[in-house]
Amino acid sequence: MPVTAIIGTQWGDEGKGRIVDLLAEDADITIRCQGGANAGHTVINHMGKFALHLVPSGIFSKAMCIIGTGVVLDPSGLMDELKVLENAGVDTGNLIISDRAHIVMPYHILFDKLEEQRLSNRKIGTTLKGIGPAYGDKVARIGIQAGDLLDADVVSQKIKAAVEQKNLILAAIYNHEPLSAENLIDWAIENGRKLKERIKPTSPIIRDALSKDKNILLEGQLGTMRDIDWGAYPYITTSSTGAAGLCLGSGIPPTALNRVIGITKAYTTAVGAGPFPTELFDTTGEFLRKQGNEFGATTGRPRRTGWFDAVAVRYSAQLNGITEIALTKVDVLDGMETIKVAVGYKLDGAIIDGIPHANRMDDVQPVYEEFEGWTGSVNASSYEELPKAARRYVERLQELVGVPIRLVSIGPERDSIVENPYLVAA
Ligand code: GDP
Ligand code: IMO
Ligand code: MG
């Protein structure tokens, strides 16, 4: 299996952290490849319950953990996260940071907030973690990289140049007082000092691991429908959430990727604004939110809920070359009388092929197939022990998406999962 990518196929929060924690037991290296502390990956295992934001979900295993080049990293947030883990007895000594990862500076968090305020009712509903502004500076070539923090002269020069530009924008657009470059330089040097031992070039590590056929797990952030290129633009995040993005963000050559596991929730949730064709606004939506405990792990916001959208997941499977799916939260559907799945989209009265342009996403009408509900999936200890109606649901989803569903998760704990022996080839 050497290189496996774990990606979200929907609007995020599919249970990526939960599956990475499980698979990391056999991994030599786990890498976070993109995104930043906008992630909230919940892991429940023998060490306790954790909401991880920047630290790879393999941290509970013996695997080396890497915060990869494609990540935007808030050093203060990372330090807080490490403290929580260390206080719980988790060994974080095996965590390293790519020297090429970009730093989320305090002004990125400020700009995220100011821009969302300015947009008002047109806002994206970001996590306010500074992600968009940090990637913006990376692309504009005025970002600060982790390796810069280790050289006081370099970081001073770069921060002064960035602050010059920020202060012009702050005054002209946001009517905000100027930033002090000196304070920011002190902040950066201090964080560099604290993280010095962890900041390293990662390509020699990756090259060595590949040459020794080590098991490498790439952990994705968010999901396809919020991908910068393939999501419902502009209601997206600012990184590439798919398999190709994970290769770029980790330094794994695309040809080295053997397996792409699409993490998929048995229904759909989203946080933040933007199109969500199968969204439910009724008591069924509330049932899913309550039963599934659908509140953001990063922001605490109630998640929007809706039926499974096979059009979106099929789109994700095709875009990302997904080789298998891990279906999570099947237990949350326990007790529903009937369950619906969107099997197609209608636009302007006609069935369309796949996903329309983002500007028309809000106008589609899902075409639903209805399923008989079930109870008690939560008690199954093998695939055969799942209620018959739950198995029918899983097997129909495999057909609709065109990818085998190999793992079926029926609880948030590491071992609450069964393996499906009846795989349907794409
Ligand atoms: P991620 O961002 O993709 O890692 O997902 P999150 O951690 O944000 O959200 C998934 C939530 O569902 C977390 O609270 C998990 O503990 C929980 N979870 C994961 N798999 C299951 C499952 O099979 N059943 C139940 N009931 N909860 C699950
Ligand atoms: P994980 O990895 C769910 C959403 C935000 C907003 C949009 C842009 O836990 O699945 P950003 O802060 O990235 O600029 O916000 O993306 N979003 C997430 N939604 N899970 C996440 O991460 C998310 N990260 C960002 O709500 O709509
Ligand atoms: Mg999450």
Side-chain angles (χ1 to χ4, degrees):
M1 82 148 195
V3 187
T4 302
I6 307 287
I7 63 162
T9 63
Q10 295 158 311
W11 276 258
D13 302 325
E14 297 90 349
K16 298 173 289 292
R18 178 248 182 287
I19 300 292
V20 170
D21 170 62
L22 173 74
L23 300 183
E25 288 185 299
D26 298 322
D28 298 299
I29 303 185
T30 305
I31 312 177
R32 263 292 303 273
C33 309
Q34 36 72 235
N38 47 352
H41 293 183
T42 309
V43 170
I44 303 177
N45 60 25
H46 59 292
M47 304 290 294
K49 177 176 178 179
F50 303 90
L52 300 172
H53 303 291
L54 281 158
V55 174
S57 303
I59 195 72
F60 308 96
S61 72
K62 292 205 164 49
M64 171 191 280
C65 288
I66 300 179
I67 296 182
T69 292
V71 169
V72 289
L73 163 88
D74 168 5
S76 318
L78 175 64
M79 242 98 65
D80 291 345
E81 200 173 326
L82 289 174
K83 229 172 271 155
V84 171
L85 289 165
E86 283 156 10
N87 289 343
V90 180
D91 179 4
T92 66
N94 55 359
L95 175 80
I96 66 168
I97 300 166
S98 166
D99 60 348
R100 291 170 181 262
H102 274 252
I103 299 297
V104 175
M105 297 292 291
Y107 50 77
H108 292 136
I109 296 170
L110 173 68
F111 273 95
D112 204 353
K113 191 178 87 189
L114 291 174
E115 184 58 10
E116 285 283 270
Q117 278 168 358
R118 190 186 70 82
L119 287 171
S120 185
N121 62 354
R122 290 175 293 131
K123 72 179 178 188
I124 305 295
T126 75
T127 57
L128 301 178
K129 296 290 179 187
I131 307 301
Y135 277 115
D137 277 2
K138 172 178 174 174
V139 175
R141 295 172 291 204
I142 53 167
I144 314 291
Q145 291 176 293
D148 297 337
L149 303 186
L150 307 182
D151 185 320
D153 289 340
V154 168
V155 83
S156 303
Q157 220 176 53
K158 289 195 174 182
I159 290 178
K160 278 183 195 150
V163 165
E164 191 182 301
Q165 188 233 39
K166 301 300 161 207
N167 282 342
L168 290 171
I169 300 172
L170 281 173
I173 302 181
Y174 300 109
N175 194 24
H176 193 281
E177 64 198 34
L179 304 170
S180 147
E182 293 314 314
N183 289 349
L184 289 160
I185 291 166
D186 291 347
W187 176 90
I189 293 173
E190 174 64 7
N191 280 305
R193 198 183 51 71
K194 289 183 185 155
L195 293 172
K196 188 169 73 186
E197 305 304 325
R198 299 187 190 269
I199 300 175
K200 295 188 169 106
T202 51
S203 58
I205 300 170
I206 304 284
R207 190 177 59 226
D208 181 63
L210 288 173
S211 74
K212 293 181 177 145
D213 240 17
K214 300 271 190 194
N215 285 339
I216 302 175
L217 213 47
L218 308 182
E219 176 173 0
Q221 194 266 327
L222 244 182
T224 299
M225 298 309 293
R226 298 266 196 221
D227 179 274
I228 186 165
D229 289 297
W230 301 101
Y233 194 90
Y235 297 100
I236 45 100
T237 192
T238 43
S239 65
S240 301
T241 64
L246 269 54
C247 284
L248 273 178
S250 59
I252 295 284
T255 45
L257 200 56
N258 310 89
R259 197 173 165 206
V260 182
I261 308 182
I263 313 302
T264 306
K265 203 176 270 191
Y267 49 97
T268 312
T269 62
V271 264
F276 179 176
T278 61
E279 183 166 11
L280 291 163
F281 299 95
D282 55 9
T283 50
T284 308
E286 270 163 41
F287 173 89
L288 290 173
R289 190 172 306 110
K290 194 154 171 253
Q291 190 98 333
N293 192 24
E294 296 295 355
F295 296 88
T298 296
T299 58
R301 289 180 289 179
R303 293 176 181 151
R304 300 158 67 189
T305 53
W307 295 121
F308 189 92
D309 186 339
V311 183
V313 179
R314 186 163 60 230
Y315 169 74
S316 174
Q318 289 169 352
L319 261 176
N320 293 295
I322 289 175
T323 54
E324 64 188 81
I325 281 178
L327 189 68
T328 61
K329 306 194 88 159
V330 169
D331 56 301
V332 172
L333 301 178
D334 283 3
M336 298 193 89
E337 224 158 273
T338 53
I339 297 164
K340 288 185 188 173
V341 168
V343 297
Y345 287 167
K346 243 186 193 173
L347 186 64
D348 302 329
I351 300 278
I352 57 167
D353 183 19
I355 301 270
H357 189 279
N359 299 343
R360 299 300 316 275
M361 268 294 270
D362 263 335
D363 303 324
V364 299
Q365 288 169 319
V367 178
Y368 286 111
E369 202 168 289
E370 197 164 291
F371 294 77
E372 179 196 335
W374 60 81
T375 54
S377 80
V378 71
N379 302 316
S381 52
S382 69
Y383 185 79
E384 279 77 9
E385 280 179 29
L386 285 173
K388 210 183 263 167
R391 278 185 277 143
R392 267 201 300 271
Y393 185 72
V394 171
E395 284 155 30
R396 180 67 180 133
L397 294 190
Q398 314 190 100
E399 281 173 3
L400 289 168
V401 174
V403 174
I405 296 177
R406 196 173 67 81
L407 294 171
V408 179
S409 174
I410 44 173
E413 305 83 11
R414 187 184 278 178
D415 299 327
S416 305
I417 197 153
V418 297
E419 196 161 340
N420 173 13
Y422 307 105
L423 303 179
V424 172

